[in-house]
Amino acid sequence: MSHNSFGHLFRVTTWGESHGPAIGCVVDGCPPGLKVTEADLQHWLDRRKPGTSRFVTQRREDDIVKILSGVFEDDRTDGPRTTGTPISLVIENTDQRSKDYSEIRDSYRPGHADYAYDKKYGIRDYRGGGRSSARETAMRVAAGGVARLALGPQVTIRCAVVQIGPNKINRDNWDWDQCEQNPFWCPDAEAAAQWEDYLDGVRKSGSSCGAILEVVAEGVPPGWGAPVYAKLDTEVAAALMSINAVKGVEIGAGFASAELTGETNADEMRKKGNDVEFLSNNNGGVLGGISTGQPVVARFAVKPTSSILTERKTVTKDGEDTDIRTKGRHDPCVGIRAAPVAEAMLACVLADHKLRHRGQVG
Amino acid sequence: MSHNSFGHLFRVTTWGESHGPAIGCVVDGCPPGLKVTEADLQHWLDRRKPGTSRFVTQRREDDIVKILSGVFEDDRTDGPRTTGTPISLVIENTDQRSKDYSEIRDSYRPGHADYAYDKKYGIRDYRGGGRSSARETAMRVAAGGVARLALGPQVTIRCAVVQIGPNKINRDNWDWDQCEQNPFWCPDAEAAAQWEDYLDGVRKSGSSCGAILEVVAEGVPPGWGAPVYAKLDTEVAAALMSINAVKGVEIGAGFASAELTGETNADEMRKKGNDVEFLSNNNGGVLGGISTGQPVVARFAVKPTSSILTERKTVTKDGEDTDIRTKGRHDPCVGIRAAPVAEAMLACVLADHKLRHRGQVG
Amino acid sequence: MSHNSFGHLFRVTTWGESHGPAIGCVVDGCPPGLKVTEADLQHWLDRRKPGTSRFVTQRREDDIVKILSGVFEDDRTDGPRTTGTPISLVIENTDQRSKDYSEIRDSYRPGHADYAYDKKYGIRDYRGGGRSSARETAMRVAAGGVARLALGPQVTIRCAVVQIGPNKINRDNWDWDQCEQNPFWCPDAEAAAQWEDYLDGVRKSGSSCGAILEVVAEGVPPGWGAPVYAKLDTEVAAALMSINAVKGVEIGAGFASAELTGETNADEMRKKGNDVEFLSNNNGGVLGGISTGQPVVARFAVKPTSSILTERKTVTKDGEDTDIRTKGRHDPCVGIRAAPVAEAMLACVLADHKLRHRGQVG
Amino acid sequence: MSHNSFGHLFRVTTWGESHGPAIGCVVDGCPPGLKVTEADLQHWLDRRKPGTSRFVTQRREDDIVKILSGVFEDDRTDGPRTTGTPISLVIENTDQRSKDYSEIRDSYRPGHADYAYDKKYGIRDYRGGGRSSARETAMRVAAGGVARLALGPQVTIRCAVVQIGPNKINRDNWDWDQCEQNPFWCPDAEAAAQWEDYLDGVRKSGSSCGAILEVVAEGVPPGWGAPVYAKLDTEVAAALMSINAVKGVEIGAGFASAELTGETNADEMRKKGNDVEFLSNNNGGVLGGISTGQPVVARFAVKPTSSILTERKTVTKDGEDTDIRTKGRHDPCVGIRAAPVAEAMLACVLADHKLRHRGQVG
C-alpha cells in the first residue's frame, strides 16, 4: 500500500475530499473482456448509500457512479466490456451544503483526524473532514464492484454486523438472508430487533456506539496468497484496517485463539471424495498466508462515531483550551455502514491475489 | 508488501528456508552515516535466540549475524557506518540435524502451511517448515536492529506478553523492567510466576497454548503516516499480522472500542505548556492514519504452536487419511518468542514512515 | 513503473481514452502547502494544445484542466494550496466527432498499437486510438505542472527540437528564447525557417517525418538519484521512452560516446570558488545514477507519425490482407508536440527524486 | 524500479560492494517447479568472467555462484527445482587485493561515481568503486540465468557488439555463431579481426574506447507489455540504461527513425498461413508498448572506460585541484563485457512481463 493506492496487479487509487466537487478512483490492471455497466456498480453503491434509515446519517447523496474510461462497447458486441486499461470511476458531490465551518476550522474534534493532519501537512481541508471523511469509502465500494467481476461468480463475499455496542448476535441464529432485511446487516433477526431499540436510545441521546463485523468469502480456491509479507491474511487485515474508524482485525479464531490449546486450534483434515475436508476453520481459510479452500473469515472492530452532540474538551489550532460538540447529521453507529465497504475491500484483495497467483504459478 | 519484501523507502527483503544453508535479508534505503556493527545487531538477535529456557524450543542455533554489504569503515573515521547502499545480513544455519523427514514430506501437519504450500506451488521444502518456518523471523529482528538506528534514540520500542493461554496479566502491576527478568517478556512479576507453572503443565502434556502481546513505541512525533491506504495503523497491523501464527491485531482500545461510547472513546485534548496533552489514548497514538505524538500501542494474538505431541487427523499428499503427531523440539507457546519480532516489525514500519514523511513534507 | 502509474513518492497515474468522455490523472504524494491554481496548470497545457499551427493536428480541443481534489483554499489564506492528498486532474473530451470507425475497427493500422492491443486484450477501443492515443500525454503535461511546483523555481526545465527529418539545427545558433517564437520549439532561428518549408512539403504529400528533441534541466543540485536500478538517468530514460512514438533515448554524449576516448569522455573537474566546476558535460549531469549539479541533458528520437495518407499493406482483424490509409486530421511530425510532454516527464522524475533523496538522506 | 530492485512479479534485488566480503541477489516471484542447478547459472557467469583475454580486466575472480535458498530437491524427484520462494544467490569476493586506496579515497576520479556518491551520502566505500563497480553486474547475470528458465526454451536472447570506438560491423556479415568465437561478441568475423588490432592500440596507450551493442530476443509471443508507463520498450530501455556506463538506448530503428518517412517506418503486415507477417521491423518488436511477436531488438551505447592511465584534472574531497590517473587492472573497452549483462537484463524484463501478462489476462 502506498499513499492512496492499494493492490499490485489489481490496483485501486482513490482521490477526493468530502466537500470537493467530486470523489473518484482509478482501477488499474483489471482483466479485459469483463461485462460491466454503470448499473452493475451502482448496485453495490446503493447498498452503502446514506440516508436510507434513521440509523445512518441523513446526509443525502445520490452517489451516482460514472465510468469515464477503461470500458468499451464495440458496436458488434453485446454490451460494454472492460478493455484492460485503467477504469476511472467518479461520483459528483451533490450535497455540499453551504455552511459555517469556522468551528472545525479552528478547533480539533477529538477522535477525528483534524489534529494529526494539521501536524503532518500544516494545512487541512476541514470541510466535512476532507480526505479523512468516510465519504472516500464510496469509491472502495465502486472498485469492489469491479473486483467482484474479476473474481467471477464462484466467489461469494458477504459481511454481517455481529455486535453493536455491547450487544452480540446469537450465532446459532445466523441467517445470511436476514442481513438484507434489517437496517443493520444483522444475520440474527432477534438481535436486529433488540438493536433497533438500543440504537434509538443512542441516537436520541446524541451519543454513539461501536460495532464488530464479520466478512466472509466463500469459493476461494486453495493457493491464493503468498508466504511471509504478502500473506493473504496480512493483506486482508491491512485492507480492513484501512477503513475509517477500524481499530482491530482478526482472522479465523483470532484473539480467541490465545485461549485455545494446540489440539483444538489446529484444523484437522480428512479425505472427502477426491478432495480434502477440514473439520474446523480456526485458521479462517488461510494457512501460512495462503488460502486453503475453506471460507476466508475475518472480523473487525469499528470505534464509536467520533461526532457526538456532547461537548468534549479540546484545543484550538492556536493551542488554546476550548470545548466542542459536533452539530448536524451523523451516524449513531458508523460501523453499520462499514459492511459494504468491508465486502469491497475483501473483493479487491482477493482479485489482486487471484491475478498474482496466476502470474506466478500460471 | 510484495512477496518477500516490505516497506517503501526503508525496505526489507528476506530469504531463506529453515534447513537450507543460510537465511538472510537485504535492507535497502537505509539512511547513510549511521554507526553500526555486527555486535549492535547481534544484541537484538540474542534476545530472540531459541534454547535459552525450557519454555522455548531446544533447537540450538547461535544465530550469528554477519554484515556483507552497505556498511563501511573509512580508515579516517571512528568505526563502521551505513553507506546508503543495500545492507545484506546473513545467518548461517548451523543446526541442520540430519533426520528423517519422510513423515512431514508425505503428510500435512494440521495448522501448518504444508497443505497450502503444496496446493499453491506443487512443491514444498518440507524440512523444518522450509520458508514457512518461524526461523525467518530472525532476519526481521536483524533488520529491526538497523531500523532502530534509523529511528534514533528518541524512539523507544518495547513488547510485552500480556496473556498466555487464559492467563492475563494485572495491568496495575505493569513494570517494563520486569520483561527482561523472566523468560516470558512479562511486565507483571506475579503473573510471570503463575505462567511458569502453567507452561510447565502445557509442556509436559505435549500440548501448546496461545498468547497475546502488546507492543509500544514511545517518542514517535506527530505527523508520521498517511491517509487512507498507507495509514500508520494499517501498516503496523500488516507488519504484525505477517508474523507467523498471528491471528489478530488491534490498535489502541481495539476490539474493546466496540463497547465504548463516543464520549469515552474520543481522546480529549488539553493545552500543556506549549504543547497539547491527550487525556486518554484509545486511539493508540494514531488518528486518521497519522501519528499524534502519543505512544503507538498495538496488541496481537498468537495461536497455539501447531506442533504438538498428540496425534491429529490429517491426509497424506496423495489424499489418504492418516494421523500425525509432531515429534522433536518445539515451543509450548510460540507467542513468547514473537516479542522481539514484533518490536522489530514496528521499528521497520516506523523507520519507513519517518523517511516517507520526510520525503513528502521535508 | 506499473501499468498506468509512475514515480514512487511523487506518483502519477493517468487514465482515459482518446474518445471517451474525459481523460485525467491522479498526482499522489505531492508536498503540501504549494500554491497552485487551475490557471497555473493550464499554462503548460496551452503550450501542448493541438490546432495552433498548420504543422500540428487540426483536431481542436480546448483542453481545459479542472482540479477536483487535493487543493484547498482556506478562507483565511492567500489562495489555493496543495494539501498533501491526491490531486485529481481532469480534462473533458469535447471534440469527439461522431464518425465512422469501421475501417480502423476491422483493420490494423501499421505502426499503431492496434494489432498489439488486440493480441493482448482481445478487445480494443479503436476510436481515435483509445488508450494508445497521444491524447494521454495531456495529463502528463498537467502533472508536470504540479511537479514543477514541487521542484520550485531553482530548477528550470526546457525542451528543444534539434532535428526534423534529416534536418539538424546548428548548435552554434542555440538560443532558448527562439523556442517560443516558432511553431517547432526550435532553438535555431535559421533552422526553423528551413523546417517550415520542409514540413509544408511533408504535409502536402500526406507523408510524415521523425524528429529528435533535447530536454535540459538546470538547477538540479548534486545528490538526486540512486545507484544501480533507480539511477536518475535510468528513470529519465524510462520516462521519455514511455512517450508515444519515442524509439531512442540518450543522456549527455549518448550514442556519440561510443566514438570518444576515455580521455575526452571523462568530464574533468576544477575548483571554482568554494565549489567544483566540470570542464565538460559528457555525462549529461549524472554520474553513477546520481546528479552532479551540472545540467541534466537528455535527447530522444520520435518516429514519424504513423497515420499517413498513403495506402499501406495490412491485415484485417480476421487475418485477411487489405490496404489502409489514415484519413482525417494528423500531425506531419508528431515529434514537435512531444516537447512540452518531455519537459513534464523530466519534471515528474526530478520531483520524485527530490522527495526520495530527502526521504533517505534528510 | 526502486533503489536496488527491479521487476514487479519477477523481482530482482542486488546487494554488495566491489571489495566487500561478497555480492549477491535475491530473485523473488520465480515460478515454482523449474529445474535449476548452480551449474546452470554458472554457465552464464562464466561468459561474463573477467580475465579471459587481454581485452578485459585481468582482475581474476572465479565468480562461483551459490544458491542459498528457493531451490529444493525432494528426495523422490529428479533434481533440484525452484519452490516459488525467494532465490538467494551469492558470490564471494575472492580477489580483494590488499592495496593502497588513499588516492581514490581522497580524490574524485573523473567519469566515475565518486563525486556524486560523496555529494549524496557524505560517505563512500571507495575500494574498487564500491557499490558503483561493474562487479554488481555479475548478479544481474546470475538472476538472468533464472529468468531464462522462467521464459522457457522458446525465447532466445542474444547480444552482439556492433561497434567499438568508431569501428562498425558490416551487418551483411552478421552471423550469431561468430559471437562465441572471438573475444568481442562480434557477429562479423572480419570486423573482429580489425578490432583486435584497434583494441591492442587502445590498450597499449593506456586509453579506452566506447562501444555499441545490440540485444535481441526471439520467440517472444505477441501481447507482453502494457500501455503507457509499463511499456515493454520502456522497461527494456530502463533495464539497459541501468547498466554501468550505458549512455543511450534505442528500440528497433531507434534514432535513425527520425530520418525515415512515415511510409518506410510503419511496418506493413501481410497474412502468412494462419498468422501475420510483418514486412519490416522498425518497431523493434514492440508497438504501443506491447510485443508484436517479432524479435525484440534494442541497441545501447557504452561510454569509454573511465579508468585510464593518462592524468586527468580533478579535485580532492576537500575541494583542492589535483590530477589523477588510474593505475592497475582495467578494461580498454568495458562495453565488451556488457553483452552477457544486457542479455540477462532483457531476460529479467521479459520474464517479469510474461508473468504480469499471465496475471492480468490469464
Side-chain angles (χ1 to χ4, degrees), chain A residues 285-359:
Chain A
V286 185
L287 282 171
I290 296 169
S291 61
T292 61
Q294 286 194 285
V296 175
V297 180
R299 271 177 304 285
F300 61 100
V302 185
K303 71 180 185 181
T305 315
S306 296
S307 296
I308 49 176
L309 293 181
T310 313
E311 282 204 334
R312 308 311 295 158
K313 295 172 190 157
T314 192
V315 296
T316 66
K317 201 173 183 336
D318 302 323
E320 296 306 315
D321 285 350
T322 186
D323 293 335
I324 194 167
R325 66 188 198 91
T326 310
K327 286 158 285 193
R329 307 161 295 180
H330 77 276
D331 290 276
C333 178
V334 75
I336 298 169
R337 296 192 53 212
V341 181
E343 290 179 9
M345 292 305 285
L346 185 53
C348 289
V349 169
L350 290 171
D352 188 39
H353 273 287
K354 175 183 178 178
L355 303 192
R356 289 159 78 176
H357 177 68
R358 188 162 70 182

Side-chain angles (χ1 to χ4, degrees), chain A residues 1 8 117 120 136 207 223 225 227 229 231 242 247 249 251 263 268 270-271 283 313-314 321 357, chain B residues 1 8 117 120 136 207 223 225 227 229 231 242 247 249 251 263 268 270-271 283 313-314 321 357:
Chain A
M1 296 198 169
H8 290 253
Y117 270 56
K120 182 176 189 70
E136 184 269 346
S207 184
Y229 300 115
K231 283 187 166 89
S242 76
K247 301 302 286 182
V249 180
I251 306 288
E263 287 76 10
E268 295 182 293
R270 273 294 174 246
K271 180 178 181 179
N283 63 64
K313 295 172 190 157
T314 192
D321 285 350
H357 177 68
Chain B
M1 295 199 168
H8 290 254
Y117 270 57
K120 182 176 189 71
E136 184 268 346
S207 183
Y229 301 115
K231 284 187 166 89
S242 75
K247 299 302 286 182
V249 181
I251 306 288
E263 287 77 10
E268 295 182 291
R270 274 292 174 248
K271 181 179 182 179
N283 63 64
K313 295 173 189 155
T314 192
D321 284 351
H357 177 68

Side-chain angles (χ1 to χ4, degrees), chain C residues 1 8 117 120 136 207 223 225 227 229 231 242 247 249 251 263 268 270-271 283 313-314 321 357, chain D residues 1 8 117 120 136 207 223 225 227 229 231 242 247 249 251 263 268 270-271 283 313-314 321 357:
Chain C
M1 294 197 170
H8 290 254
Y117 270 56
K120 182 176 188 71
E136 184 268 348
S207 183
Y229 301 115
K231 285 187 165 89
S242 76
K247 299 303 286 182
V249 181
I251 306 288
E263 288 76 9
E268 295 182 295
R270 274 292 174 245
K271 180 178 180 178
N283 63 62
K313 295 172 189 155
T314 193
D321 285 350
H357 177 68
Chain D
M1 294 199 169
H8 290 254
Y117 269 56
K120 182 176 188 71
E136 184 268 346
S207 183
Y229 301 115
K231 285 188 164 91
S242 76
K247 300 302 286 183
V249 181
I251 306 289
E263 286 77 10
E268 294 182 294
R270 275 290 173 250
K271 181 178 180 178
N283 64 63
K313 296 173 188 154
T314 191
D321 284 351
H357 177 68

Side-chain angles (χ1 to χ4, degrees), chain B residues 154-157 217-224 232 285 291-296 350:
Chain B
Q154 71 275 23
V155 176
T156 304
I157 298 173
E218 292 171 287
V220 175
W224 293 2
L232 184 59
S291 62
T292 61
Q294 287 194 285
V296 174
L350 290 172

Side-chain angles (χ1 to χ4, degrees), chain D residues 286-321:
Chain D
V286 185
L287 282 171
I290 296 168
S291 62
T292 61
Q294 287 194 285
V296 175
V297 180
R299 270 177 306 283
F300 60 100
V302 185
K303 70 179 185 181
T305 316
S306 296
S307 296
I308 50 176
L309 293 181
T310 313
E311 282 204 333
R312 308 311 294 158
K313 296 173 188 154
T314 191
V315 295
T316 67
K317 200 172 182 340
D318 302 324
E320 297 305 316
D321 284 351

